[in-house]
Amino acid sequence: MNLHEYQGKSILTQYGVRVQRGLVAYNADEAVDQAKRLSQETGTKWWVVKAQIHAGGRGKGGGVKLAKSIDEVHEKADGIIGMMLKTPQTPPQGKKVHKVLIAEDMYYPGASETKEYYMSVLLDRASGHNVIVYSTEGGMDIEEVAEQHPDKIQKETIDPRVGLRPFQCNKIATNLGLTGAAKKEMVKFIAALYRAYEGCDAAMFEINPVLKTSDDRIAAVDAKVRLDGNALYRHPDYVEMRDKTEEDPTEVEAGEAGLNYVKLDGNVGCMVNGAGLAMATMDIIKLSGGEPANFLDVGGTADAARVEKAFRIILKDERVKAILVNIFGGIVRCDRVAQGIVDAYRNIGDIKVPIIVRLQGTNAKEAKELIDNSGLKVLGAVALQEAADRVKQVLA
């Protein structure tokens, strides 16, 4: 589950990480009120108006603006709220901005210059260890740094049996070129960041930039946080942070119906029972010359209502040119699924895309008879290769 910047910062604060403070506003007038309140609390004279969407690269897309007066706060907030913000991480049409974060300006003058760093904590799936990725080249162009200067991206692997050790925090701070008070602050920052990552069962914490202020404070100016959805039962307060308006509406609808659905970019819809079978089915589609349009697992209770809902969700994607239903009847009976397919077809009406159905397992023979006697335009298949051939046939 992805979080907004302000939500990620609220979690970081709970674990002792210093952050750039800010307040959320849903319209320009509220932004002015929040800016005034923030000035009273922090003494800031300038404010940063930041669009709150689940995507990076907001600054390049015009979603982060510096306001040097209260009037500018109103102007900048009014221009950002309601816009369709396009970044490299949004859909082509962009994402609509519903709220902004009014943040304090931390780039104030002083005895020495400010400096931006990059830091993230995530799981290295290859090794099964957590890893801290960091760089001296923080800021908006970190992707270009990783591509053109990979030597400037460093990693520190953490053994889960012992956790993050103090010497590792010290090593990272040293490699970032910090000394004196700034180094001590960075060591504290890294330790607290890792505690936050582990404590909230995160899948990723990305801070870009981590800022060294002119008075040697270290703070998270941004926070991109993704929580592990499988661990949310331990964090009911985090569940309330979910913003469904930032998610694909079809995926939200499927989730509410108890279906495991992920939208993809292909032209063949998939309906299966079981994640492993779903992966195999998508491979079949690829081998037959098509591209999977989705991952959809109806689970072990594939009754008529669930099958109909699954069909309706798949058919919302205008790119779907065919649907492959691939069910293995272990717990679920194939004839029950077949009846669900027949009922769904009739309830939905005229389905214009061809449907290939492969049902194997419990009561597969009865299921085939149901499909064959339905009078519907449904293509049957017994073997995986036959299903692949059917897909190739309808796409030709």
Side-chain angles (χ1 to χ4, degrees), residues 376-393:
L376 304 178
K377 295 179 181 180
V378 177
L379 302 174
V382 177
L384 287 174
Q385 185 58 53
E386 185 181 0
D389 292 340
R390 292 286 196 184
V391 170
K392 185 181 295 186
Q393 175 187 339

Side-chain angles (χ1 to χ4, degrees), residues 273 298-304 307 325 327-341 357-368 370:
N273 63 328
V298 294
T301 55
D303 55 22
V307 170
V325 180
I327 300 292
F328 179 77
I331 298 174
V332 63
R333 286 167 29 194
C334 290
D335 58 328
R336 189 177 184 184
V337 177
Q339 189 61 56
I341 292 170
V357 177
R358 176 182 180 265
L359 300 173
Q360 283 295 308
T362 307
N363 291 357
K365 181 180 178 181
E366 292 83 351
K368 186 176 186 305
L370 273 169

Side-chain angles (χ1 to χ4, degrees), residues 21-137:
R21 287 175 288 181
L23 300 168
V24 178
Y26 292 84
N27 57 61
D29 290 336
E30 187 177 4
V32 168
D33 293 338
Q34 299 290 51
K36 292 177 179 177
R37 177 183 165 190
L38 194 62
S39 289
Q40 293 174 350
E41 294 178 357
T42 67
T44 187
K45 299 290 197 320
W46 292 355
W47 305 264
V48 186
V49 184
K50 312 173 84 172
Q52 296 299 284
I53 62 170
H54 289 171
R58 293 169 296 162
K60 287 184 176 180
V64 179
K65 300 286 186 180
L66 178 64
K68 299 181 179 180
S69 69
I70 287 295
D71 289 341
E72 283 194 9
V73 170
H74 189 282
E75 175 191 342
K76 307 294 186 186
D78 194 47
I80 293 175
I81 296 173
M83 76 181 292
M84 291 298 293
L85 180 55
K86 298 179 182 180
T87 83
Q89 297 182 22
T90 64
Q93 70 273 19
K95 282 191 172 185
K96 188 172 184 178
V97 181
H98 298 283
K99 52 198 168 189
V100 293
L101 179 65
I102 308 301
E104 64 176 326
D105 172 40
M106 298 193 73
Y107 293 78
Y108 42 79
S112 60
E113 296 182 356
T114 58
K115 171 66 178 172
E116 293 181 338
Y117 304 94
Y118 171 88
M119 191 169 295
S120 62
V121 189
L122 66 160
L123 173 65
D124 179 355
R125 295 188 181 277
S127 66
H129 292 181
N130 291 327
V131 60
I132 297 177
V133 182
Y134 60 101
S135 175
T136 56
E137 308 300 311

Side-chain angles (χ1 to χ4, degrees), residues 336-351:
R336 189 177 184 184
V337 177
Q339 189 61 56
I341 292 170
V342 173
D343 293 345
Y345 199 111
R346 289 171 176 163
N347 289 339
I348 294 172
D350 184 22
I351 298 178

Side-chain angles (χ1 to χ4, degrees), residues 44-285:
T44 187
K45 299 290 197 320
W46 292 355
W47 305 264
V48 186
V49 184
K50 312 173 84 172
Q52 296 299 284
I53 62 170
H54 289 171
R58 293 169 296 162
K60 287 184 176 180
V64 179
K65 300 286 186 180
L66 178 64
K68 299 181 179 180
S69 69
I70 287 295
D71 289 341
E72 283 194 9
V73 170
H74 189 282
E75 175 191 342
K76 307 294 186 186
D78 194 47
I80 293 175
I81 296 173
M83 76 181 292
M84 291 298 293
L85 180 55
K86 298 179 182 180
T87 83
Q89 297 182 22
T90 64
Q93 70 273 19
K95 282 191 172 185
K96 188 172 184 178
V97 181
H98 298 283
K99 52 198 168 189
V100 293
L101 179 65
I102 308 301
E104 64 176 326
D105 172 40
M106 298 193 73
Y107 293 78
Y108 42 79
S112 60
E113 296 182 356
T114 58
K115 171 66 178 172
E116 293 181 338
Y117 304 94
Y118 171 88
M119 191 169 295
S120 62
V121 189
L122 66 160
L123 173 65
D124 179 355
R125 295 188 181 277
S127 66
H129 292 181
N130 291 327
V131 60
I132 297 177
V133 182
Y134 60 101
S135 175
T136 56
E137 308 300 311
M140 290 195 295
D141 298 319
I142 188 63
E143 291 83 6
E144 287 80 357
V145 172
E147 182 178 348
Q148 299 173 14
H149 304 283
D151 56 299
K152 294 185 178 180
I153 305 294
Q154 302 187 67
K155 298 180 180 180
E156 184 67 24
T157 300
I158 298 127
D159 188 332
R161 294 170 296 182
V162 296
L164 179 65
R165 311 308 297 162
F167 80 88
Q168 293 178 295
C169 299
N170 188 73
K171 175 185 173 182
I172 294 171
T174 299
N175 289 343
L176 290 173
L178 294 168
T179 59
K183 181 177 180 179
K184 292 179 181 178
E185 287 293 311
M186 180 62 81
V187 167
K188 294 178 184 177
F189 179 93
I190 296 166
L193 175 62
Y194 191 78
R195 284 197 303 271
Y197 170 81
E198 283 205 316
C200 68
D201 291 306
M204 182 192 71
F205 262 96
E206 182 180 65
I207 314 298
N208 187 31
V210 176
L211 181 70
K212 183 192 81 68
T213 66
S214 58
D215 55 357
D216 288 337
R217 294 190 298 164
I218 303 296
V221 174
D222 194 7
K224 185 176 180 182
V225 178
R226 185 169 66 248
L227 301 180
D228 183 350
N230 295 317
L232 285 175
Y233 71 93
R234 291 201 287 251
H235 306 280
D237 49 334
Y238 295 161
V239 176
E240 297 176 2
M241 293 181 176
R242 183 182 180 188
D243 186 349
K244 294 182 180 179
T245 64
E246 289 290 315
E247 301 175 21
D248 183 285
T250 309
E251 292 185 8
V252 172
E253 181 184 354
E256 291 174 348
L259 301 171
N260 295 313
Y261 173 85
V262 178
K263 188 174 182 179
L264 303 172
D265 297 326
N267 56 358
V268 181
C270 307
M271 186 191 306
V272 303
N273 63 328
L277 187 58
M279 301 302 290
T281 303
M282 289 192 288
D283 286 343
I284 291 169
I285 291 170

